[in-house]
Amino acid sequence: VPTLRDLGEIEVLRRLTADRSPAAGVALGPGDDAAVLDPSPGTELVATTDAFVEGAHYLPAWSAPERTGARLATANLSDLAAMAATPRWALLSIGARPESEVDALLALQRGAEDRLARFGAVVVGGNLTSVSGAEWASLTLLGEVPAGRYWTRSGARPGDLLAITGSPGRAGAGLALARRLEAGARSPEWQALLDAWLEPEPRLDLALDLASTGAVKAAMDVSDGVAQDLARLCEASGVGAEIATGEWPDDSELARASHSLGVPLEALRLGPSDDYELVLAVDPKRRAACEDVAARHGVALGFVGRFIEESGLSVRLAGGEVRALRPKGYDAFEGEG
Amino acid sequence: VPTLRDLGEIEVLRRLTADRSPAAGVALGPGDDAAVLDPSPGTELVATTDAFVEGAHYLPAWSAPERTGARLATANLSDLAAMAATPRWALLSIGARPESEVDALLALQRGAEDRLARFGAVVVGGNLTSVSGAEWASLTLLGEVPAGRYWTRSGARPGDLLAITGSPGRAGAGLALARRLEAGARSPEWQALLDAWLEPEPRLDLALDLASTGAVKAAMDVSDGVAQDLARLCEASGVGAEIATGEWPDDSELARASHSLGVPLEALRLGPSDDYELVLAVDPKRRAACEDVAARHGVALGFVGRFIEESGLSVRLAGGEVRALRPKGYDAFEGEG
């Protein structure tokens, strides 16, 4: 099984860029100093970048390279979903150890490419460099949106409904179970939550159809946890939000994890978790249109609160009591201890 | 002096994205899920990405963060020069240690931004993540070129002239002097070669004016060394090249380094070196137009050989003898030993 050092940079790059068929909107693909792309007339360009570091964003014991590549693509695709943009082109920058297997590198790229291809995007360039410590991969994704039709974080207004796709918290629960139970988490009982952590799907198709309803006034994806990401959306919009826990969709698997982990269900739902679900501000007059679209896609869309004038986040409990919520999400630079 | 851990991710991101003024072609800058950009009508989009890893691409003892950021920008700007594209937008993805100083991170970004701004580009987004080992920065740069007018590596034909900007090999000589002489390289005698290594300039303005002559049939930038990069251009074009050493511009500083290092001058000129100069294939009938443009920019443009039908590289020595040249450039995955 050859390593990167065995084959050398030129041969590895040759394998990474081999067998590429022409793609729509790509005048010049990998292999030159830069790629040349043909944007569609009447669109704006949407650009995002996200990086995964070995041991932090992915654990090789839990995620084969192909899965890691797919998840990195999902993190970026999810950003475009939050802008209601259609993915087109990607650049993949990788730092790999010389002693790593070339096949693992190819699998990571293939995982990213296959996931991107499912949503219409293609890798048009990249960079490969040598590292001595943790490996990493940084993906930049470009998409298109009809001019002026992109979503932002800043459009929520008091009175808008707070909607959330799927059941956030599941990814964080999967990670917590893997950390707590180690090999024991690999049981059928926890498979669905592990998959939520390791195999998240971007809500792109849903987002593009929701965009066509005109009902969505602000959007953001959940990459750090609902409370923290919702707080960011509220800050950008100059509003607050009240979450009604009674309206949250049932999730028996998450409830079971809450019990096993000894962590309150609310903490799992609102705390650190990279679910790649969407938080939306919805025009209350058009709620039904959104519900129709979500039903057509078979995706749960929970109307779990509302945006309010007063800044800050609060939670309305089932009994009617309202408590302030202090956002606590993932901080990359905070120690574990 | 606060570290990244002291301030936490949210505050560091706030500082990284503070004080941004609106920029042309940017509908939505940093702070949302993605940036929204407005491409110019009638242009194609050109995209490249390049990453620097601490200890490999930059040595903190030799390069302050601001300089490192500027050099990373230059590496990407140079790719756009090789495509005759105008820089517009960039995304900066950084892996930093929690114990690093926030000011160093801000300085690296400022160095990149200032260099990009000099050529008309602006940072519109990025990513920040925590690493435990070597730090790294990955920059993706987008530019524009009038539709169909980009340069490639594949347009060289037998009979075209081989032209090279500046005096490649100087950056590699600077690095070799720093490694060999350590602190002793910090003498006025070697300043210019150290600067060639640490403060390279992209040949963008020159490239854009050369493009308007229509004389350039293929182009590539020198990021691994002339021999290796020229071999790549030849392979992409399906031609060979013959370098005439007698035509190479004089460089007394490089000659002095050759003597001090005990490395033949030809090896410095043709071997591993990231000079960010340009290798060009020029229509022989339009050589004078290119010389005029280069003179106007005050940049040396050496006509140092020609492209030929037979594949491979060769060197024609001053006496007329022709020797085959085996390309040897930088290989990221090759050991030092």
Side-chain angles (χ1 to χ4, degrees), chain B residues 246-263:
Chain B
E247 309 295 320
W248 211 273
D250 284 335
D251 187 329
S252 60
E253 290 160 332
L254 197 62
R256 191 145 38 82
S258 158
H259 186 258
S260 276
L261 291 164
V263 175

Side-chain angles (χ1 to χ4, degrees), chain A residues 5 9 31-38 44-48 50 57 93 129-130 136 138 140 153 221 331-333, chain B residues 5 9 31-38 44-48 57 93 127 129-130 136 138 140 153 221 331-333:
Chain A
R5 184 185 283 123
E9 184 176 357
D32 215 294
D33 289 85
V36 181
L37 314 171
D38 292 322
E44 291 184 289
L45 193 65
V46 179
T48 186
D50 216 331
H57 303 87
S93 180
T129 189
S130 175
W136 51 265
S138 185
T140 299
R153 297 179 182 178
D221 81 325
D331 184 326
F333 297 106
Chain B
R5 184 184 284 122
E9 184 176 357
D32 215 295
D33 289 87
V36 181
L37 314 171
D38 292 323
E44 291 184 290
L45 193 65
V46 180
T48 187
H57 303 87
S93 180
N127 190 71
T129 190
S130 174
W136 50 266
S138 185
T140 299
R153 296 180 183 178
D221 81 325
D331 184 325
F333 297 104

Side-chain angles (χ1 to χ4, degrees), chain B residues 135-188:
Chain B
E135 298 193 320
W136 50 266
S138 185
L139 188 76
T140 299
L141 181 59
L142 307 175
E144 293 183 320
V145 64
R149 302 294 298 273
Y150 53 88
W151 290 342
T152 68
R153 296 180 183 178
S154 55
R157 295 293 170 263
D160 288 345
L161 303 179
L162 166 60
I164 296 185
T165 63
S167 179
R170 291 170 65 86
L175 169 60
L177 288 163
R179 281 191 173 145
R180 176 80 59 88
L181 307 178
E182 296 181 2
R186 297 184 200 267
S187 90

Side-chain angles (χ1 to χ4, degrees), chain A residues 67-188:
Chain A
R67 233 180 185 184
T68 299
R71 195 160 149 263
L72 175 60
T74 289
N76 282 276
L77 289 163
S78 180
D79 282 330
L80 291 206
M83 307 297 288
T86 301
R88 296 296 311 274
W89 310 286
L91 297 103
L92 181 58
S93 180
I94 294 177
R97 286 185 295 275
E99 61 271 25
S100 287
E101 291 175 9
V102 175
D103 286 350
L105 182 67
L106 293 170
L108 185 142
Q109 178 180 266
R110 191 171 55 241
E113 287 189 314
D114 289 352
R115 179 61 51 92
L116 290 166
R118 261 180 41 209
F119 297 96
V122 61
V123 172
V124 297
N127 190 70
L128 177 63
T129 189
S130 175
V131 298
S132 55
E135 298 193 321
W136 51 265
S138 185
L139 188 75
T140 299
L141 181 59
L142 307 176
E144 293 183 321
V145 65
R149 302 294 296 275
Y150 54 88
W151 290 343
T152 68
R153 297 179 182 178
S154 55
R157 295 293 170 263
D160 288 345
L161 303 178
L162 166 61
I164 296 186
T165 63
S167 179
R170 291 169 64 85
L175 169 60
L177 289 163
R179 282 192 172 143
R180 178 78 62 87
L181 307 178
E182 298 183 358
R186 298 183 198 267
S187 90

